[in-house]
Amino acid sequence: MLKYVMLFLLPVLLSGCALRPPRSPAWHRDSQPPLFTFVQLNDTHIQDPNRKPLPYEKCNEKVEYLVKSFNEGKHFKLPDFVLLVGDIINGGATFARPASIHENVNDLQEAKRILSGLKCPYYTVIGNHEYIGGSTNAAVYSAYEEVFGPDKINYTFLHKGVLFVCMDNFRDWGKNDGMTAERNVWLADIFKKYPDTPKILAGHFPVYCVRDEDVFLKSLGLNINWMWGDSTRNFLKENKETVIAFLAGHNHLTGVIDVEGIKHIVVSGTA
C-alpha cells in the first residue's frame, strides 16, 4: 500500500505532497517520479473586499498570488489539485455575534472567484469560519452549501488510487450530537466500502496537538485547537493500515507528528 508521503513545506504558508509507490529493497527516494502532487492550503480567511476592515493584511491578495504562481509554475510545476482545508473565508462572526448568511455568502463568493482562476481542480473542506450561527444543526452549513454545494460537506474523491476523505470535524468535541453521529455513520461506511484503498483524511481541526502541548496551552490559555472527542481518533486507530495522513489547519502554525504510522500534518495557512 502507499504508506510513504514525501512532504515539502513552504515556510508558514502551505504544504505540497508528492505520493510515491511502496518501498522496495532497492528503493531510493529519487529513483522514480511521484504518483501525483497536490497542495494543501488552509486558513486563507478571504473576505468580501467591500466589507471593511479586512481581518488579515492582504489576505485576498496572498491567495491571488498563490493562484498565479501555481498556474505559472513559479515555484513548482502545476499540482494535480489544490485541497483547501477549512477557514477558506473569514466570515462575519465576531466574539459579540454570529455571522449572517449574507456576510458569509459574499465572502465565499469572493473565495470562489479567486480559486476559479486555478488551472487545476480544487477541493474544499469546511471550517468553523464557514459556519453560520451556532454548531448544533444543519443550518450552519447554509452559506457554504449555497456557494460550494451540499455535496461538499462530507465527501470523498479518488485520485490515482488514493481516496481523499474530506470531512466536517468542527463538532468533534466528544458531545456526540446528532450531526457528529450522522457523520460517523457516513465515515464508517466509507471505511467499509474501501477497506484496502489507501486514504488521506482532511478535516479543519487537528486530531492531536502537533507541538509541545504544555507550551501550546500556556501560550493560548485554552484548548480550542485540536479535537477532544475520540470518534475520529478511533476510526484512525482501527484503520491505520490504510490511512496515510490526516491533513488539518486551524492553529495558524505548522507541525507534523506521526501517530501509529499516520502523518498528522497541520499547516499554518496564509492569514
Side-chain angles (χ1 to χ4, degrees):
M1 86 158 248
L2 302 175
K3 197 63 179 175
Y4 181 73
V5 178
M6 187 166 134
L7 171 70
F8 303 94
L9 291 177
L10 274 65
V12 308
L13 287 182
L14 49 91
S15 73
C17 293
L19 293 181
R20 298 180 183 272
R23 296 174 187 256
S24 66
W27 189 88
H28 296 285
R29 191 175 76 176
D30 298 322
S31 63
Q32 50 189 310
L35 296 178
F36 63 88
T37 62
F38 70 97
V39 169
Q40 175 188 344
L41 181 62
N42 48 264
D43 296 282
T44 50
H45 289 269
I46 295 168
Q47 181 167 297
D48 173 9
N50 296 314
R51 193 171 79 249
K52 306 292 184 181
L54 291 177
Y56 297 94
E57 186 177 2
K58 297 188 181 299
C59 52
N60 295 13
E61 288 91 334
K62 290 176 184 177
V63 184
E64 289 174 333
Y65 167 80
L66 288 176
V67 168
K68 185 173 184 289
S69 68
F70 294 165
N71 290 343
E72 294 176 348
K74 189 168 185 178
H75 302 291
F76 44 79
K77 72 174 186 177
L78 186 70
D80 287 45
F81 60 88
V82 174
L83 181 58
L84 293 111
V85 189
D87 283 4
I88 303 161
I89 63 165
N90 194 61
T94 67
F95 286 109
R97 65 172 180 83
S100 72
I101 185 170
H102 176 72
E103 290 171 322
N104 276 25
V105 164
N106 286 350
D107 286 7
L108 286 161
Q109 287 175 337
E110 177 66 9
K112 189 173 185 178
R113 181 193 69 78
I114 294 171
L115 296 169
S116 294
L118 282 165
K119 293 181 179 179
C120 65
Y122 69 89
Y123 300 92
T124 59
V125 175
I126 193 168
N128 53 297
H129 277 258
E130 280 77 55
Y131 269 48
I132 296 293
S135 58
T136 57
N137 61 71
V140 298
Y141 296 146
S142 54
Y144 181 88
E145 288 182 329
E146 181 174 330
V147 177
F148 288 120
D151 59 340
K152 291 298 185 288
I153 303 294
N154 297 304
Y155 69 101
T156 65
F157 64 93
L158 189 66
H159 189 77
K160 296 186 179 179
V162 177
L163 185 70
F164 284 79
V165 182
C166 302
M167 54 188 282
D168 171 27
N169 68 342
F170 177 54
R171 287 170 312 282
D172 212 336
W173 304 98
K175 296 181 180 179
N176 297 317
D177 63 90
M179 292 175 70
T180 301
E182 183 178 338
R183 186 216 62 191
N184 288 343
V185 170
W186 169 81
L187 195 56
D189 184 62
I190 294 300
F191 280 105
K192 183 178 180 180
K193 186 177 179 180
Y194 301 95
D196 301 317
T197 304
K199 302 169 188 70
I200 293 179
L201 278 67
H204 182 61
F205 278 77
V207 179
Y208 298 99
C209 181
V210 296
R211 296 289 187 92
D212 185 293
E213 188 169 331
D214 291 336
V215 174
F216 200 107
L217 291 175
K218 186 177 180 180
S219 298
L220 295 176
L222 73 167
N223 174 14
I224 56 170
N225 291 282
W226 61 89
M227 296 185 297
W228 299 340
D230 290 326
S231 60
T232 301
R233 292 191 189 108
N234 290 339
F235 277 113
L236 295 175
K237 289 178 180 178
E238 293 166 4
N239 298 276
K240 60 186 177 183
E241 293 304 316
T242 63
V243 177
I244 300 169
F246 191 99
L247 311 179
H250 187 65
N251 291 343
H252 291 236
L253 55 77
T254 296
V256 181
I257 60 171
D258 184 297
V259 179
E260 299 189 73
I262 298 172
K263 306 299 181 185
H264 290 262
I265 302 170
V266 176
V267 177
S268 63
T270 55

